[in-house]
Amino acid sequence: MLDDRPAQGSILYLDGVTVSFDGFKALNELSLIVAPGEMRTVIGPNGAGKTTMMDVITGKTRPDKGDVLFDGSVDLTRLDEAQIANLGIGRKFQKPTVFEMLTVAENLELALKCDRGTLATLFFMATSEQRDRVAAVLGTIGLRDRASLPAGRLSHGQKQWLEIGMLLMQDQRVLLLDEPVAGMTDAETEQTAELLLEIARDRSVVVVEHDMEFVRRLGARVTVLHEGSVLAEGPLETVQNDHRVIEVYLGR
Amino acid sequence: MIRALALLAALLFAQPAQADAFSEAVAGLSAGGFGEKIKAVETLAALGDARAVPILRAMAEGRLLARPDGALVIDGHDATTGQPAEAEGALAVSINNRLRSAIQGAVGRLGLVSPDPAERGRAAQAVLDSPSPESAAMLRKAIERETDAAVMTAMRFSLAALDLGDADPARRLAGVAALADSSLDPQVRGLLTRLAQSDSDAGVAGAARQALEGAETRLRALRIAENLFQGISLGSVLLLAAIGLAVTFGVMGVINMAHGEMIMLGAYTTFAVQEAFRAWAPAWALDFYLVAALPAAFLVSAAIGIALERGVIRFLYGRPLETLLATWGVSLMLQQLVRSLFGATNKEVANPSWMTGGIELAGGVMLTWNRVVIVLFAVAVLAGLAALMRWSFFGLGMRAVTQNRAMASAMGIPAGRVDALTFGLGSGIAGIAGVALSQIGNVSPNLGQGYIVDSFMVVVFGGVGSLWGTLVASLSLGVVNKFLEPYAGAMLGKILVLVFIILFIQKRPRGLFALRGRSAEA
Amino acid sequence: MGPVLSRLLAIDDRRFWLGFGAVGILLLAVVPSLNALPAGHALNVPDYAVTLLGKYLCYALLALSLDLVWGFAGVLSLGHGAFFALGGYAMGMYMMRSIGGRGVYGHATLPDFMVFLNWQELPWYWMGFDSFWFAAAMVVAVPAGLAFVVGWLAFRSRITGVYLSIITQAMTYALMLAFFRNEMGFGGNNGLTDFKELLGFDLSRPGVKLGLYTASAVMLGVAFLVCRFIVGSKLGRVLMAIRDAESRVRFLGYSATAVKLFAFVISAVLAGIAGALYVPQVGIINPSEFSPANSIEVAIWVAVGGRGTLLGPVLGAFAVNGAKTWLTGAAPELWLFALGGLFIVVTLLMPKGIVGLAAQARERLRGRPVPLIEEKRNA
């Protein structure tokens, strides 16, 4: 183990993380630190390693080497997805993945923060508080009148919202969002930005996004990934004027 | 050959003194008592004259007649001279069991001087059945005269074996030394074991023990070689059964539970082609019915495979569990169809003559031709398929469609047709496997059932989508199975292999030669 | 426990309870009464039909158990026949032991086949089977243990889809080979048979057969309620979520491994109980019960009835086995064509089975189209 002083005080700490698939390095010595309560946007061309980075943090992919620490000390590379989720890291996928056969309310109920042990789940009965919480989130994501509809019958944008709603239900300390506004209309995008800014008040949020308007609207610190490592980091304006970033985005 | 015979005959007949002794001995065969007759037989045998053989045989069979004048007649000819002779008033020379066995021993020993080398070779082995000092003496004499190298070796071997029973310890020791090289023969090992356990001479016993130990080592090596061959043979059968599956399941991701029935159809096609050849083909062509059966089986199974893909499977892409159930249904129907058409009993498919028999290695280890041919055939099929996938345009299209269907379609590759042809290819290869399997086992409607679990295991073990993995997996499973069999029995061996694979998949869920990366996890 | 129990009862669902009660009365009151009618009576249900129905009830229980893992959690086990057979063997061992000295060879403790094989004493794993309650415990414990080990190994390493199907198929295949061996001590090829009595009741008596039938019906009802409780709980929704998108469930913090293992073990226990009730009714258990073909056939009962519903597997088991009984009598050579065709037709044309067709018809009557929920392509 490395000396964990630099990790202290961070909520997410990645250092020297390398992942390769059949010789192709999806992540190459990636290092990234996210502070508690911080909102961070991650941009980068296709194949830069954005999704792989999320896979590593959430336990879907084990890194070949490198450290991934949560809350300054918890080694995430030793835990599986469920354990990491229960630590307080939530994730929204690029492609909305809601449970299509279940109703909107049931989707939210599954995400509810509570004991997720098998027997506890079997004998689970929602308290009135928990029911109120579901109702409140339904209101926040604007799906109150669709609560008992199977999630499979929602529109694409509504599914995105439902997934964000599920993240809200989980009440996590860190949220990882992979292209949350892909496929949304401008109005929906604006609403989502507001919602995210609201959420980010009391937790850390990492957003991967292509939509530069949306990134600007979030107004957060930007990390640019390229070929599996960090190319530039800073406020959007600074990053946008970085000649290496321009080169990567506009071609050589 | 004829000249050699003539030469030998000339050599034998150029000994008038012996000829006289010969007639005398022959005359003694009709002597009064059995004891005298036996003596005459022994004398005759000791002369080492090959002419005695037909006479002694005739005597054993009761065809040797004694005329009142003392002359002996066989089938109307004089026994000694071979001139036509009257058999008026002649009586068969009477024999008893003791005499019969004496005649047998004599004929056996006389075989050693037969003009025919094959006969001499047989005799050299036969003397071991009735070991006696006379046999040893006769052998020693015969070896001096022997011209044929192979017969000479056989004679030396038998002599050494006889020497083991000699009264002289030096002789016995020499015999052990001479036999040390050929101690794999069970008969010899029996003799050596007796010496090692109970010989009065410590030196002989020790030498015998040593020879036996050497024999054990070599036997073990031979058993390993035999197991290896049998394992490779079983592995090649698994390989044949699994290659087609490596295409349909490995490349296309279609789980075809009717794969075994494609094999079964190939076997029945072989049977049908064989019957057609028996009915209509000229006799010389009968041996080559397999040549016609191969393409026929490929086409039959491929056609049914294509029909299955177009009619059922293509509606179920992306729903592997449904595909599994639907193709299982197809397999039931195909089995019943064949049962209705051909009957439920096993059909017999004959090996062509060039595939019957085999070569025997030492110690009773046999490589049968049909097994050898199947090993080579399996490797050839795999190589052919690998070449097709790697270098042909169709192979390119096949790989393109399975890797990125939308993109391939956009580039003008007819994805549907490629699917159908790929599935047809996999099924056709299963049909070819059926041709091979018909050569080593019964052809019955549930032939395919026995292979389905095994071949899925091979593909999963080897790594889905990897032909190389399929090869390594099938051969290693075959070999492991055969090596387990002597210790665990055939069934337990199979169970152990199944358990092993289940545990193996724990460690490497994607098989030996797995693709790693995002594409493999989709 | 109070509110949980009331949810188990789901008092508000009056339609369910009416239907459940109606079927219960039919099976537990009407059939036995008709069976009691004199033999020549037009409405008489003969004894053989009672045993046949009892067999179907066991099949229905087996189908229900498979549906719990396949229909709700998406785990298609092709080895459920093994759990069924193990439960059957455990019960068979008890009945063998209770033959006592009345066997052909008259040995006090050894079953006939062991005497025949020259065994001198009872193998250790036959100990205790002279007690019904021990055997009953084994009916539950052995399938549960096997399911736990196999399930743990498979789910832990995330073997899903057809891989899991093949592994479970290999499991039952291996067990079949093992039980065929005489050395295993389970009667080899012939299995266990010639049972005389169960708990002191003479198995050849019609009253005992009716009792076994009744026990099967009650057990199916209990299992139905247990499954209904699981499926209706939040855990049931987790199971369905796993079926739809397993990895997403993990990211929500549920251990998909533990949840699936739970369902798999419960399911194996139900299958084992089905086997234990089946064997005394048919009077024999042999290794062919382990054959992979049997297990796959169970999947088609579930599919025909409608997987992912609780009623479906029960209906499917009765429908397919009823058809099998009729057709194998009327035209045996057609049965495999019919069964094979059923596999194809159901998967292609009625993926939601009889129950789905009925629901579709009902919705159509109300003028609402039912969207066919597409399953995602996952290679």
Side-chain angles (χ1 to χ4, degrees):
Chain A
M1 278 310 294
L2 82 169
D3 138 53
D4 64 3
R5 253 175 309 150
Q8 213 137 56
S10 68
I11 189 82
L12 274 182
Y13 175 88
L14 280 72
D15 187 50
V17 175
T18 300
V19 173
S20 53
F21 298 124
D22 294 331
F24 165 72
K25 282 195 172 164
L27 291 183
N28 188 8
E29 300 281 337
L30 175 76
S31 299
L32 183 81
I33 300 180
V34 179
E38 183 190 351
M39 176 182 262
R40 175 74 61 90
T41 44
V42 178
I43 61 173
N46 278 331
K50 303 182 299 275
T51 301
T52 307
M53 178 190 80
M54 292 202 165
D55 285 348
V56 167
I57 297 171
T58 54
K60 188 178 180 210
T61 302
R62 296 237 180 282
D64 298 334
K65 64 186 177 91
D67 296 296
V68 185
L69 302 180
F70 173 71
D71 210 6
S73 59
V74 184
D75 184 356
L76 295 182
T77 60
R78 292 164 184 277
L79 304 176
D80 68 19
E81 298 99 315
Q83 289 166 320
I84 292 173
N86 283 323
L87 272 179
I89 299 180
R91 177 176 185 181
K92 194 199 113 18
F93 287 83
Q94 189 171 347
K95 206 176 129 213
T97 42
V98 295
F99 305 115
E100 314 220 327
M101 302 289 282
L102 302 180
T103 66
V104 171
E106 284 170 342
N107 268 279
L108 292 178
E109 188 204 16
L110 281 194
L112 183 75
K113 183 172 191 169
C114 61
D115 184 351
R116 296 194 177 95
T118 303
L119 287 181
T121 311
L122 179 63
F123 295 108
F124 172 84
M125 297 280 289
T127 62
S128 61
E129 239 170 275
Q130 287 168 324
R131 275 196 292 270
D132 292 347
R133 175 113 183 91
V134 171
V137 170
L138 276 171
T140 313
I141 57 174
L143 292 174
R144 191 168 285 156
D145 54 336
R146 286 164 208 263
S148 51
L149 209 63
R153 287 161 81 169
L154 295 179
S155 74
H156 184 80
Q158 286 171 326
K159 284 182 190 167
Q160 295 274 40
W161 277 75
L162 175 56
E163 241 204 307
I164 294 172
M166 289 164 76
L167 278 182
L168 290 175
M169 293 298 301
Q170 285 186 74
D171 195 19
Q172 303 286 45
R173 292 173 63 192
V174 178
L175 297 186
L176 306 174
L177 298 113
D178 203 345
E179 303 197 19
V181 296
M184 283 192 178
T185 63
D186 286 352
E188 284 171 335
T189 304
E190 175 56 29
Q191 278 177 308
T192 309
E194 268 169 38
L195 182 63
L196 285 187
L197 288 169
E198 174 75 26
I199 294 168
R201 278 198 201 154
D202 46 5
R203 50 192 126 228
S204 310
V205 178
V206 178
V207 182
V208 164
E209 194 45 78
H210 274 306
D211 184 336
M212 285 319 235
E213 259 328 293
F214 182 70
V215 172
R216 180 162 299 133
R217 177 72 179 79
L218 294 178
R221 201 176 160 81
V222 173
T223 298
V224 185
L225 289 193
H226 178 56
E227 291 178 352
S229 23
V230 176
L231 184 68
E233 198 168 289
L236 183 60
E237 291 71 36
T238 326
V239 166
Q240 271 184 321
N241 294 324
D242 190 308
H243 68 277
R244 288 171 306 171
V245 175
I246 295 170
E247 201 173 293
V248 165
Y249 267 91
L250 297 181
R252 37 238 80 166
Chain B
M1 184 75 172
I2 291 173
R3 256 201 285 166
L5 271 179
L7 191 70
L8 203 83
L11 268 173
L12 288 171
F13 287 104
Q15 289 165 314
Q18 234 177 10
D20 283 339
F22 178 74
S23 333
E24 236 167 75
V26 169
L29 290 176
S30 58
F34 288 119
E36 283 127 67
K37 283 182 193 166
I38 289 174
K39 217 170 276 164
V41 169
E42 297 295 347
T43 320
L44 201 52
L47 287 176
D49 191 325
R51 282 177 301 164
V53 173
I55 303 172
L56 288 173
R57 286 221 174 101
M59 185 173 177
E61 288 158 17
R63 288 184 289 114
L64 182 69
L65 310 180
R67 277 208 311 239
D69 62 351
L72 293 170
V73 184
I74 303 169
D75 302 339
H77 295 276
D78 186 279
T80 327
T81 62
Q83 301 297 319
E86 281 294 319
E88 195 64 41
L91 292 171
V93 176
S94 61
I95 52 173
N96 67 357
N97 277 343
R98 214 155 59 83
L99 182 53
R100 189 173 280 125
S101 68
I103 293 174
Q104 244 160 32
V107 169
R109 268 171 279 150
L110 279 169
L112 293 172
V113 294
S114 160
D116 178 7
E119 177 74 22
R120 296 202 298 280
R122 269 196 295 278
Q125 272 172 4
V127 288
L128 282 183
D129 296 336
S130 49
S132 64
E134 297 88 65
S135 310
M138 189 92 178
L139 258 179
R140 244 179 276 282
K141 229 186 284 171
I143 286 173
E144 281 163 27
R145 276 194 301 219
E146 187 54 59
T147 49
D148 187 294
V151 176
M152 175 90 98
T153 314
M155 285 177 170
R156 288 233 166 91
F157 169 79
S158 293
L159 178 60
L162 289 179
D163 278 348
L164 294 183
D166 202 282
D168 180 5
R171 272 256 166 90
R172 294 206 296 275
L173 204 57
V176 171
L179 281 177
D181 284 338
S182 51
S183 48
L184 294 180
D185 191 295
Q187 220 173 352
V188 172
R189 270 186 301 141
L191 292 171
L192 284 176
T193 311
R194 208 177 320 137
L195 283 190
Q197 281 165 356
S198 57
D199 198 275
S200 49
D201 187 288
V204 175
R209 254 195 301 280
Q210 220 167 9
L212 273 177
E213 273 163 28
E216 285 306 320
T217 318
R218 293 193 329 150
L219 263 184
R220 257 195 300 273
L222 263 175
R223 289 282 162 265
I224 290 174
E226 186 181 25
N227 275 334
L228 203 62
F229 173 70
Q230 295 218 321
I232 290 173
S233 166
L234 176 66
S236 66
V237 168
L238 287 176
L239 178 62
L240 274 172
I243 294 176
L245 208 63
V247 174
T248 54
F249 181 53
V251 177
M252 299 179 74
V254 170
I255 180 118
N256 179 17
M257 297 300 276
H259 180 77
E261 278 58 48
M262 300 297 166
I263 298 176
M264 181 266 287
L265 287 174
Y268 270 93
T269 308
T270 314
F271 171 71
V273 169
Q274 171 193 265
E275 294 305 298
F277 266 61
R278 281 185 182 165
W280 296 300
W284 60 266
L286 281 184
D287 254 0
F288 299 97
Y289 80 92
L290 279 182
V291 177
L294 278 178
F298 182 88
L299 290 177
V300 167
S301 292
I304 296 206
I306 289 173
L308 174 59
E309 200 277 339
R310 288 289 91 183
V312 177
I313 291 171
R314 74 169 157 141
F315 302 110
L316 298 170
Y317 280 130
R319 288 155 65 191
L321 296 181
E322 274 87 345
T323 312
L324 186 156
L325 294 177
T327 51
W328 176 263
V330 171
S331 91
L332 293 182
M333 293 173 89
L334 286 175
Q335 281 177 49
Q336 186 59 44
L337 181 73
V338 167
R339 202 172 284 128
S340 301
L341 287 177
F342 292 88
T345 50
N346 289 347
K347 293 284 172 238
E348 174 260 334
V349 174
N351 287 158
S353 61
W354 49 272
M355 267 174 84
T356 44
I359 41 173
E360 194 188 338
L361 305 181
V365 179
M366 185 88 172
L367 303 187
T368 53
W369 287 130
N370 57 358
R371 295 266 170 188
V372 173
V373 168
I374 283 171
V375 172
L376 298 177
F377 181 68
V379 172
V381 170
L382 183 73
L385 176 65
L388 182 76
M389 304 243 305
R390 179 78 185 78
W391 285 303
S392 77
F393 186 71
F394 168 63
L396 184 66
M398 192 158 94
R399 283 179 291 146
V401 169
T402 51
Q403 277 166 31
N404 190 335
R405 192 179 183 80
M407 190 56 157
S409 300
M411 291 181 65
I413 298 173
R417 198 189 305 165
V418 170
D419 280 338
L421 289 177
T422 310
F423 198 82
L425 174 68
S427 305
I429 293 174
I432 288 186
V435 179
L437 296 186
S438 74
Q439 296 298 307
I440 50 169
N442 291 325
V443 176
S444 72
N446 38 13
L447 165 83
Q449 288 291 295
Y451 289 99
I452 187 74
V453 170
D454 284 343
S455 40
F456 269 112
M457 286 292 134
V458 165
V459 174
V460 170
F461 180 46
V464 172
S466 163
L467 285 184
W468 177 241
T470 306
L471 173 70
V472 174
S474 51
L475 290 186
S476 49
L477 286 186
V479 170
V480 167
N481 220 328
K482 282 294 168 191
F483 273 89
L484 280 177
E485 256 177 35
Y487 309 101
M491 258 188 193
L492 205 57
K494 220 169 166 152
I495 295 165
L496 287 176
V497 167
L498 281 174
V499 171
F500 163 73
I501 291 178
I502 292 176
L503 292 178
F504 173 83
I505 294 175
Q506 295 300 303
K507 283 285 139 212
R508 303 193 63 165
R510 292 181 189 280
L512 275 178
F513 296 85
L515 302 167
R516 183 168 178 249
R518 290 214 290 194
S519 62
E521 282 168 29
Chain C
M1 215 55 193
V4 173
L5 209 68
S6 86
R7 199 183 63 210
L8 165 65
L9 295 172
I11 307 286
D12 51 318
D13 193 350
R14 185 164 296 166
R15 275 184 50 209
F16 166 77
W17 286 107
L18 280 176
F20 191 77
V23 175
I25 291 169
L26 178 70
L27 289 177
L28 295 178
V30 176
V31 169
S33 318
L34 295 182
N35 179 235
L37 291 174
H41 196 285
L43 289 175
N44 172 257
V45 173
D47 293 338
Y48 80 85
V50 169
T51 299
L52 195 64
L53 276 177
K55 246 171 73 177
Y56 290 175
L57 288 168
C58 297
Y59 289 148
L61 180 52
L62 176 59
L64 185 67
S65 77
L66 179 64
D67 189 41
L68 184 64
V69 283
W70 181 34
F72 290 95
V75 176
L76 176 52
S77 158
L78 293 183
H80 257 52
F83 304 130
F84 182 81
L86 286 172
Y89 265 99
M91 184 54 72
M93 285 162 79
Y94 160 70
M95 290 187 291
M96 284 312 262
R97 292 291 308 269
S98 67
I99 293 174
R102 288 168 289 168
V104 175
Y105 298 106
H107 195 287
T109 51
L110 288 192
D112 277 348
F113 74 88
M114 289 189 194
V115 181
F116 182 75
L117 290 173
N118 265 329
W119 290 31
Q120 294 311 314
E121 56 185 37
L122 211 57
W124 59 268
Y125 46 83
W126 276 76
M127 300 293 170
F129 277 95
D130 49 337
S131 146
F132 175 80
W133 296 110
F134 179 83
M138 288 298 122
V139 163
V140 171
V142 173
L146 178 66
F148 185 84
V149 172
V150 172
W152 187 73
L153 289 173
F155 300 143
R156 188 185 60 122
S157 31
R158 309 207 174 165
I159 295 172
T160 56
V162 288
Y163 289 90
L164 187 108
S165 304
I166 294 171
I167 289 291
T168 49
Q169 188 177 40
M171 173 194 82
T172 193
Y173 185 62
L175 281 169
M176 177 177 76
L177 294 181
F179 273 74
F180 265 124
R181 288 161 49 84
N182 278 331
E183 298 87 330
M184 280 286 285
F186 295 106
N189 216 349
N190 301 321
L192 310 176
T193 187
D194 293 333
F195 308 128
K196 302 255 184 296
E197 57 179 42
L198 180 67
L199 280 171
F201 295 108
D202 183 350
L203 285 167
S204 60
R205 275 178 40 215
V208 175
K209 289 184 174 163
L210 188 65
L212 284 167
Y213 155 85
T214 308
S216 306
V218 169
M219 198 54 230
L220 178 63
V222 170
F224 195 92
L225 291 181
V226 167
C227 288
R228 183 164 175 268
F229 174 69
I230 293 174
V231 168
S233 75
K234 189 179 173 191
L235 191 75
R237 291 191 281 286
V238 175
L239 284 174
M240 287 179 249
I242 287 174
R243 184 186 62 192
D244 281 0
E246 178 167 343
S247 66
R248 189 72 181 84
V249 175
R250 294 181 195 271
F251 288 114
L252 282 182
Y254 296 97
S255 165
T257 306
V259 173
K260 286 202 282 187
L261 195 54
F262 173 80
F264 196 56
V265 170
I266 296 284
S267 170
V269 168
L270 294 181
I273 294 174
L277 287 166
Y278 174 81
V279 169
Q281 301 192 61
V282 296
I284 184 169
I285 173 82
N286 62 32
S288 65
E289 290 293 339
F290 284 105
S291 95
N294 278 15
S295 294
I296 296 193
E297 212 178 306
V298 182
I300 207 62
W301 306 342
V302 176
V304 165
R307 67 201 151 99
T309 68
L310 292 175
L311 188 57
V314 177
L315 283 182
F318 271 85
V320 178
N321 284 297
K324 183 179 190 171
T325 305
W326 170 70
L327 202 55
T328 46
E333 67 286 349
L334 288 184
W335 165 242
L336 278 184
F337 284 123
L339 183 64
L342 203 55
F343 272 97
I344 299 166
V345 168
V346 167
T347 48
L348 283 183
L349 303 178
M350 40 187 285
K352 293 165 131 194
I354 298 172
V355 171
L357 283 183
Q360 223 166 328
R362 219 172 28 236
E363 292 281 303
R364 199 158 287 163
L365 279 179
R366 290 187 201 156
R368 263 196 282 153
V370 176
L372 266 176
I373 287 145
E374 295 290 315
E375 288 185 49
K376 279 179 290 302
R377 183 177 175 128
N378 48 345

